[in-house]
Amino acid sequence: MEYVSPEGLRLDGRRPMEMRQLRAEIGTVAKANGSAVFEMGNTKVIAAVYGPREVQNRSQQINDQALVRCEYSMANFSTGDRMRKPKGDRRSTEISLVIRQTMEACILTHLMPRSQIDIFVQVLQADGGTRSACINAATLALADAGIPMRDIVTSCSAGYLNSTPLLDLNYIEDSAGGPDVTVGILPKLDKVTLLQMDAKLPVDIFENVMGLAIEGCKAIANYIREVLLENTKQLEYRRGL
Amino acid sequence: MVGLSVGEKHFIQGGIAQDLRSDGRKRLTYRPIYVETGVIPQAHGSARVRLGATDVIASVKAELGKPSALQPDKGKIAIYVDCSPTAAPMFEGRGGEELSTELSVALQRCLLGGKSGAGAGIDPTSLVVVEGKVCWDLYIDGLVISSDGNLLDALAAAIKAALSNTGIPKVDVAAETTSDEQPEVNISDEEFLQFDTSGIPVIVTLTKVGRHYIVDATSEEESQMSSAVSISVNRKGHICGLTKRGGVGLDPSIILDMISVAKHVSEQLINKLDSEIAAAEASEEES
Amino acid sequence: MRGLKLPLSQTQRVRLQRAFEKLQSLSAKANSDASLTVADTIPVNYEDAFLKGHGTADLNGELVATVCGVVERVNNLVYVRALRARYKPEVGDVVVGRVVEVAQKRWRLEINFSQDAVLMLSSMNMPDGIQRRRTALDELNMRSIFEENDIVCAEVRNFQHDGSLQLQARSQKYGKLEKGQLLIIDPYLVKKSKQHFHHLEQFGVDLILGRNGYIWIGEHVEARDSMVIDQAKNIEQSTVVEGINQAYTPLEMRQNICRIANAIRVLTSLGFNVDLNLIMETVELSSSLKIDIHDMLGSEFHVLVAEMEAERRSLTTKRKR
């Protein structure tokens, strides 16, 4: 099947280096300490953060740091075929672990000892790149909750089909059987914190694809920063003196 | 669910007795309802309903399937509700399972009718394509994003809105098939049949606190309830289903009174909901 | 507006937009430049000796922000004030909390902080008013003073070495709060002021603005003589209170309580500061326009309050010049 036409257009009309439409909204779940909705094309994810609050399970309390917990769940209607089990399956457990480790690396946990931070991510629509969308949404929700972080974390995926590196794969491109590289970076520190790939790829092409994904992450970082800055300014001028 | 002190409980009960609740509502007033349709473009129909701080999404997906041998002239409908942990930390893992099951079963009872499918709020005979061979399987999924009481009413309203938003693809059946073969079907991508939702009921939950009942309880008021009765009423004023929750026994005359109160409240609710749905669909078309 | 979706008509939307634009133009120019997101560099003159405060971190010799907020400079201290965050306690703050646990010689209170705060038995006045050593009997009777889920008003005493908070409730004005409702808002909307207890005479209502974002509105209670009664009388009173209609709050006072509560709800959903003057103005606006208590949460009143606030702020800035 042809994923990139001879004119250089992908199945949904994008150019190979073009990312899908991004949209972020802060403060959707009123009861949570911080929450956000993040959309990358048709992939739509809600993240909610509760905390820092008292540790519920005393045995898990860490004396000098905050305990970070994360749960990833997909809605029944999120994928094309209805899912039987929205949580508890292996993929969800793995993604929960990945998100937790990524966010834990950037939260300054030693500033909130003996407390607990819960990050809940709910996928409303899945069209490829759910892992990345979840991490981006979680970053927004943590910033909304006022939790101190070393740097924001942004994530994007890239692949290689029809001899072209493609940025931000959607579901059809992802299921094509080509490689899928997901990268998460700390933009200010310029460090990679998450790197996952499946299928196989020659090393020099891998460098290209990874570089493309990092470029995508930086673009998302700019967008997230704009959104957060706008939100902060709005809260400040509403509040007045 | 946060606990309440004795003083606060007393205050809430007093408010209900004096017909002035904590946010100024009367006993039979609903919170403002806000409806958005088409929130899940991948589904055949979807809607998001906000009732105060309660936020739920309902989506409708239709797949082709085979009708059951016992009811060859009816399609199948399944309702399933999930409580997302974003609503409350206690819903993580399997914590929300009990509540999800309770809500799913209550919705099934109120909207789907009995085992034979008779008297259902949503008519399954409209879902059949070829009798005995091909029918539509309708999967209605609800997701609770934020919870502040009265989940059942919000979910029923979301399902009604999602069904109004649903377009079932038109199916062309290949003619001339023998009786035991599966006929070939051609699902059209272009034409859609709108679902007829005028017969779909709404659910009115009456929560009894002390000697009075209130409509649309917040989670604080729900923690005070002695019992709650959820009644599903359709536009004609017919009762399509009934569920009672809570351990305290109720006098039968009180239940009859509750039913008449519910019928009275449901008229306004159905009108309000229909106008909100129409407004939501209109704004969805604009965008 | 956090999670607030109001069905606004076209004209209402325009009016609201205009009011917000007015507010935006009134806020100090310096403010908008000082807003930051996470990992933004803070403009600092590195040659001056400066102290790094909250919300900042050192990154490769540069000073960066760790939260989204506004940069504040006080003398040599540079810090980032986060807007929406958990409560940041200071010694002497008046807070309102809910008891989550009755433990040995202490109560644990939830106060919107990263850990639960502790109220020691020795930091409470005894019901009989005598200053004495707490005996084992007192420990066993802790539940007669506060039990689980009670709402308590107290003051921050100090921080423990492990970061948790200790409260004290020695004065007559602190203690258990009953007969009213509790509202939970964001702590950044409650400013530190001299008075946190407000007795609104014309309504007969007590209003306590806890610095942690918990606001109590209730019937006016005289300063705590009720604490100085016998155990026996206590039990007698509580049975009388339960279950008799006359013990309910009178309707007029309840209307006042609900009106004030709704005023606070409207102010928080619009993101405005919650202080006494603003609350009273909002309540007067609603009563003068004869708006029904429940309609205060509707879109029209929100727009009116936004316009009123824009007016008020433009007047105060004009007066300052």
Side-chain angles (χ1 to χ4, degrees):
Chain A
M1 186 170 166
E2 205 181 69
Y3 293 98
V4 184
S5 73
E7 297 94 47
L9 291 178
R10 290 151 78 171
L11 290 170
D12 51 5
R14 284 186 286 159
R15 300 241 145 237
M17 308 248 188
E18 202 182 315
M19 209 160 46
R20 289 177 289 184
Q21 176 92 359
L22 296 175
R23 199 182 82 86
E25 193 188 311
I26 301 187
T28 31
V29 180
K31 282 197 154 185
N33 294 114
S35 58
V37 173
F38 196 79
E39 285 180 50
M40 288 170 80
N42 278 334
T43 302
K44 194 168 174 181
V45 166
I46 288 188
V49 168
Y50 286 90
R53 57 197 185 120
E54 181 83 15
V55 183
Q56 307 293 304
N57 196 353
R58 268 305 156 72
S59 57
Q60 290 178 342
Q61 195 181 57
I62 311 178
N63 277 341
D64 57 348
Q65 293 190 7
L67 175 70
V68 178
R69 289 161 74 232
C70 175
E71 182 169 309
Y72 165 92
S73 45
M74 297 184 80
N76 263 341
F77 43 79
S78 54
T79 51
D81 313 312
R82 251 182 106 250
M83 288 184 64
R84 283 291 124 195
K85 245 174 124 200
K87 344 175 177 171
D89 60 317
R90 294 163 74 105
R91 183 170 170 272
S92 302
T93 321
E94 190 243 333
I95 300 188
S96 305
L97 186 68
V98 162
I99 299 179
R100 183 176 73 76
Q101 284 175 342
T102 318
M103 303 326 289
E104 202 169 17
C106 75
I107 299 178
L108 294 168
T109 47
H110 61 271
L111 290 178
M112 297 161 289
R114 296 179 140 83
S115 65
Q116 174 178 318
I117 299 176
D118 288 317
I119 308 173
F120 297 118
V121 185
Q122 174 82 40
V123 175
L124 295 177
Q125 262 199 161
D127 187 24
T130 41
R131 211 169 293 230
S132 309
C134 288
I135 292 180
N136 295 330
T139 301
L140 278 169
L142 284 168
D144 183 38
I147 293 182
M149 295 194 279
R150 209 161 272 134
D151 193 357
I152 59 176
V153 186
T154 54
S155 162
C156 192
S157 65
Y160 189 74
L161 288 170
N162 289 144
S163 319
T164 333
L166 301 174
L167 181 61
D168 195 14
L169 305 171
N170 61 23
Y171 183 70
I172 309 175
E173 291 166 344
D174 200 359
S175 352
D180 173 20
V181 179
T182 307
V183 176
I185 63 166
L186 299 168
K188 178 94 181 188
L189 300 171
D190 213 8
K191 287 198 171 22
V192 172
T193 159
L194 168 70
L195 183 57
Q196 286 184 326
M197 186 185 109
D198 54 10
K200 52 184 183 197
L201 204 52
V203 174
D204 47 343
I205 303 186
F206 171 74
E207 279 183 33
N208 269 348
V209 174
M210 191 175 93
L212 184 59
I214 293 183
E215 285 305 309
C217 293
K218 291 196 176 141
I220 297 182
N222 283 338
Y223 176 69
I224 287 187
R225 236 191 223 114
E226 259 174 48
V227 171
L228 285 174
L229 196 61
E230 185 56 42
N231 189 42
T232 310
K233 285 191 186 164
Q234 213 188 55
L235 287 179
E236 183 61 22
Y237 81 70
R238 294 257 186 91
R239 178 178 175 264
L241 293 153
Chain B
M1 308 301 154
V2 190
L4 290 175
S5 72
V6 173
E8 281 175 296
K9 288 182 186 172
H10 195 66
F11 188 78
I12 292 178
Q13 283 166 8
I16 293 174
Q18 293 170 344
D19 203 15
L20 183 65
R21 291 150 78 175
S22 301
D23 54 356
R25 281 186 288 157
K26 297 218 166 305
R27 284 197 283 263
L28 298 179
T29 316
Y30 264 86
R31 285 173 283 187
I33 305 179
Y34 190 78
V35 176
E36 258 175 83
T37 51
V39 290
I40 311 278
Q42 275 177 353
H44 288 113
S46 59
R48 180 175 180 178
V49 166
R50 263 173 270 228
L51 199 59
T54 299
D55 195 351
V56 299
I57 291 185
S59 100
V60 175
K61 276 209 167 142
E63 284 169 18
L64 280 179
K66 202 161 182 289
S68 84
L70 297 166
Q71 286 150 28
D73 62 337
K74 296 206 165 82
K76 288 182 275 173
I77 309 177
I79 301 184
Y80 178 76
V81 174
D82 187 28
C83 293
S84 166
T86 56
M90 62 177 235
F91 289 154
E92 80 165 299
R94 306 193 60 160
E97 240 178 72
E98 210 181 289
L99 183 61
S100 311
T101 325
E102 192 189 320
L103 290 169
S104 310
V105 169
L107 282 170
Q108 279 167 2
R109 186 171 299 136
C110 287
L111 295 173
L112 292 185
K115 283 209 172 50
S116 63
I122 308 167
D123 186 15
T125 48
S126 58
L127 294 174
V128 77
V129 176
V130 175
E131 193 165 314
K133 301 265 183 57
V134 182
C135 73
W136 282 112
D137 286 338
L138 216 58
Y139 293 105
I140 305 181
D141 290 306
L143 182 69
V144 175
I145 298 182
S146 172
S147 158
D148 191 24
N150 209 16
L151 289 171
L152 207 51
D153 294 14
L155 281 164
I159 292 179
K160 191 174 192 340
L163 284 169
S164 340
N165 183 243
T166 307
I168 306 227
K170 222 160 169 193
V171 181
D172 297 318
V173 184
E176 293 167 39
T177 49
T178 57
S179 53
D180 44 335
E181 258 181 31
Q182 278 295 102
E184 279 188 30
V185 286
N186 196 4
I187 304 181
S188 152
D189 273 338
E190 312 289 312
E191 295 172 31
F192 289 95
L193 294 169
Q194 287 298 114
F195 221 95
D196 174 29
T197 57
S198 54
I200 297 185
V202 290
I203 298 185
V204 175
T205 302
L206 285 170
T207 313
K208 187 163 191 291
V209 178
R211 289 205 310 253
H212 306 268
Y213 352 110
I214 53 174
V215 135
D216 194 15
T218 61
S219 47
E220 284 176 351
E221 291 166 338
E222 265 181 4
S223 66
Q224 290 309 293
M225 74 173 193
S226 53
S227 52
V229 177
S230 302
I231 302 161
S232 99
V233 188
N234 71 6
R235 184 169 270 133
K236 297 197 200 108
H238 294 167
I239 300 178
C240 305
L242 201 100
T243 312
K244 175 194 172 294
R245 297 195 320 270
V248 175
L250 285 177
D251 202 76
S253 59
I254 296 189
I255 298 189
L256 291 173
D257 189 40
M258 280 181 156
I259 293 179
S260 64
V261 168
K263 271 170 70 168
H264 171 73
V265 170
S266 68
E267 284 164 21
Q268 292 167 350
L269 179 61
I270 292 183
N271 289 336
K272 180 98 205 307
L273 197 55
D274 283 337
S275 66
E276 287 291 322
I277 295 176
E281 303 238 306
S283 62
E284 190 205 339
E285 274 162 26
E286 275 167 38
S287 61
Chain C
M1 285 182 264
R2 298 213 63 89
L4 176 81
K5 280 287 185 169
L6 287 172
L8 293 168
S9 72
Q10 195 53 29
T11 38
Q12 283 172 337
R13 206 167 294 160
V14 169
R15 282 162 63 198
L16 195 62
Q17 200 54 36
R18 217 176 286 152
F20 282 146
E21 276 164 13
K22 206 169 176 186
L23 288 172
Q24 196 171 6
S25 60
L26 285 172
S27 74
K29 274 286 172 284
N31 254 350
S32 54
D33 297 332
S35 298
L36 292 176
T37 43
V38 179
D40 275 351
T41 336
I42 303 177
V44 167
N45 193 348
Y46 286 99
E47 272 133 34
D48 299 337
F50 62 89
L51 295 168
K52 298 196 283 276
H54 283 300
T56 62
D58 198 17
L59 185 68
N60 302 334
E62 256 186 349
L63 197 64
V64 292
T66 54
V67 287
C68 294
V70 174
V71 171
E72 303 269 353
R73 291 166 226 268
V74 179
N75 295 337
N76 277 343
L77 180 65
V78 177
Y79 68 96
V80 179
R81 178 170 50 88
L83 289 163
R84 286 201 75 243
R86 291 297 251 180
Y87 167 53
K88 269 216 170 47
E90 288 168 25
V91 176
D93 272 350
V94 171
V95 293
V96 175
R98 197 188 283 280
V99 176
V100 285
E101 194 192 333
V102 179
Q104 205 175 34
K105 286 204 209 134
R106 72 200 66 177
W107 291 276
R108 284 222 132 77
L109 270 69
E110 187 219 325
I111 57 165
N112 202 12
F113 181 48
S114 50
Q115 294 170 52
D116 289 340
V118 163
L119 177 62
M120 303 292 297
L121 179 59
S122 46
S123 314
M124 265 302 304
N125 283 333
M126 281 289 106
D128 45 12
I130 312 173
Q131 303 276 22
R132 57 178 171 76
R133 227 181 149 75
R134 312 292 185 245
T135 62
L137 192 61
D138 289 322
E139 260 186 72
L140 293 172
N141 284 339
M142 277 175 78
R143 279 212 171 71
S144 62
I145 306 177
F146 299 139
E147 48 173 17
E148 275 91 353
N149 289 327
D150 273 345
I151 307 230
V152 175
C153 176
E155 184 186 312
V156 175
R157 183 170 154 211
N158 61 15
F159 283 92
Q160 296 277 62
H161 52 88
D162 58 4
S164 66
L165 214 53
Q166 267 215 356
L167 304 174
Q168 59 108 336
R170 277 201 173 282
S171 164
Q172 293 286 41
K173 51 187 177 169
Y174 299 130
K176 183 146 78 169
L177 298 171
E178 298 175 308
K179 298 197 191 151
Q181 56 173 314
L182 183 75
L183 279 178
I184 301 184
I185 65 173
D186 285 327
Y188 80 100
L189 293 171
V190 183
K191 280 197 304 193
K192 195 172 175 83
S193 76
K194 288 196 206 70
Q195 262 279 59
H196 283 276
F197 293 87
H198 304 283
H199 169 44
L200 304 168
E201 271 117 21
Q202 71 268 47
F203 298 129
V205 162
D206 266 345
L207 176 66
I208 304 181
L209 298 169
R211 281 273 288 149
N212 58 339
Y214 282 27
I215 299 190
W216 174 261
I217 312 161
E219 265 185 60
H220 177 60
V221 188
E222 288 309 318
R224 295 296 137 199
D225 328 77
S226 50
M227 290 303 283
V228 192
I229 33 171
D230 248 0
Q231 288 290 71
K233 271 207 198 138
N234 225 348
I235 303 169
E236 215 184 277
Q237 263 203 1
S238 54
T239 45
V240 163
V241 154
E242 277 171 34
I244 306 187
N245 248 343
Q246 290 92 342
Y248 286 146
T249 322
L251 185 60
E252 210 194 302
M253 198 179 300
R254 188 178 289 277
Q255 283 175 342
N256 293 331
I257 294 179
C258 288
R259 209 174 266 280
I260 297 175
N262 275 354
I264 298 181
R265 285 192 182 105
V266 171
L267 289 172
T268 44
S269 66
L270 289 169
F272 298 151
N273 250 333
V274 172
D275 66 355
L276 188 64
N277 288 333
L278 209 48
I279 299 175
M280 294 320 295
E281 276 181 33
T282 317
V283 173
E284 267 151 35
L285 181 68
S286 76
S287 359
S288 66
L289 293 174
K290 301 243 181 312
I291 297 183
D292 197 28
I293 302 180
H294 176 51
D295 289 333
M296 282 171 76
L297 296 176
S299 16
E300 181 59 31
F301 192 64
H302 275 91
V303 178
L304 286 169
V305 170
E307 290 175 340
M308 173 192 86
E309 175 66 8
E311 261 319 300
R312 194 189 69 89
R313 274 199 218 158
S314 63
L315 283 175
T316 36
T317 32
K318 275 193 203 135
R319 246 182 264 143
K320 275 190 189 161
R321 288 192 202 134

